[in-house]
Amino acid sequence: MFNTVEIKDVKNEIGLLVKAIRKQRGLSQTQLAKSLDVSRTTIQNLELGKNFTVDTILKVLKEVDLLEQLNGKVVEAKDQVLNAKSLY
Amino acid sequence: MFNTVEIKDVKNEIGLLVKAIRKQRGLSQTQLAKSLDVSRTTIQNLELGKNFTVDTILKVLKEVDLLEQLNGKVVEAKDQVLNAKSLY
DNA sequence: CCATTATGACCATTTTAATGGTCAAATATA
DNA sequence: TATATTTGACCATTAAAATGGTCATAATGG
């Protein structure tokens, strides 16, 4: 009934997203890892849904020009919370 | 000219967002940490823009019922990439 | 104002992500 | 098909995140 998304699921989806982006750009894990200055193991674990640091995913997003967009979403969400407070 | 957002900046904004959400809910760092089963130091570092793991931020998002929403965005982005590929 | 609570800043220790390497299987390519 | 490349799965080591604690200062409430 309830579609309960678990943390594990989200990590898996993030991994699939990164893999899709990488494939779209015709890069191997090794090539992506090199351009991000991380090890291939780090990319591999990220893509396979293991735990990883925010630095790693943000490096990926910066590489594919999605960092500004994410930042915008975060700031937007933050402002929404701060504005909601002032309504009471 | 170019508003170059750096990784450090995004981590800072994520920290401010978490802090804003926590304040909105009237929780102390200690209370939030306890309900997420992490240490206060972890929450503190997250809010202050240090590096942290995806597990930590996802725990926060799950706690405030934003996990499904994020998952939707990720899946959406992934599908967009996968669909774009088939257009060529 | 005083007392209480919350937070930032450390620190030592433990846990775990990141690294760099190998290897076998899968996949792409010639 | 044979060959080269890629990827998943390990593993030992290193780097760093998480933990649990203290302390001083800031913020909050009575």
Side-chain angles (χ1 to χ4, degrees):
Chain A
M1 223 72 239
F2 253 100
N3 182 24
T4 56
V5 174
E6 298 300 327
I7 288 174
K8 161 179 47 66
D9 303 322
V10 181
K11 285 191 291 184
N12 267 318
E13 288 299 337
I14 293 173
L16 293 177
L17 170 59
V18 169
K19 185 168 190 169
I21 292 174
R22 178 175 61 77
K23 290 287 186 184
Q24 188 184 42
R25 306 214 162 192
L27 298 173
S28 67
Q29 290 179 346
T30 303
Q31 288 174 317
L32 179 59
K34 182 158 282 188
S35 62
L36 301 187
D37 197 33
V38 300
S39 69
R40 183 176 77 89
T41 306
T42 295
I43 298 297
Q44 190 178 216
N45 287 336
L46 168 52
E47 291 190 359
L48 295 178
K50 312 279 186 172
N51 199 11
F52 52 89
T53 63
V54 67
D55 270 342
T56 298
I57 185 63
L58 293 185
K59 281 183 185 178
V60 173
L61 295 183
K62 180 172 185 178
E63 175 76 11
V64 301
D65 301 309
L66 286 174
L67 196 60
E68 307 251 354
Q69 190 173 322
L70 174 65
N71 190 251
K73 296 286 188 184
V74 173
V75 171
E76 188 184 344
K78 184 192 66 180
D79 291 345
Q80 222 168 332
V81 172
L82 295 178
N83 288 339
K85 194 177 66 176
S86 62
L87 293 179
Y88 293 91
Chain B
M1 219 79 233
F2 254 98
N3 181 24
T4 57
V5 174
E6 298 300 328
I7 289 173
K8 162 179 48 62
D9 302 322
V10 181
K11 285 190 292 185
N12 267 318
E13 288 298 338
I14 293 173
L16 293 177
L17 169 59
V18 169
K19 186 168 188 168
I21 292 174
R22 177 175 62 77
K23 290 287 188 186
Q24 187 184 40
R25 306 212 162 194
L27 299 173
S28 67
Q29 291 179 346
T30 302
Q31 289 173 315
L32 179 59
K34 182 158 283 187
S35 62
L36 300 187
D37 197 33
V38 298
S39 68
R40 183 175 76 89
T41 306
T42 294
I43 298 297
Q44 191 178 216
N45 286 336
L46 168 52
E47 290 190 359
L48 295 178
K50 312 279 186 171
N51 199 10
F52 52 88
T53 64
V54 67
D55 270 342
T56 299
I57 185 62
L58 293 186
K59 280 183 185 179
V60 173
L61 295 183
K62 180 172 185 178
E63 175 76 11
V64 301
D65 300 308
L66 286 175
L67 196 59
E68 307 250 352
Q69 190 173 323
L70 173 65
N71 190 250
K73 296 285 188 185
V74 172
V75 171
E76 188 184 343
K78 185 192 64 178
D79 291 345
Q80 221 169 332
V81 173
L82 295 179
N83 290 340
K85 195 178 64 175
S86 62
L87 292 180
Y88 294 91

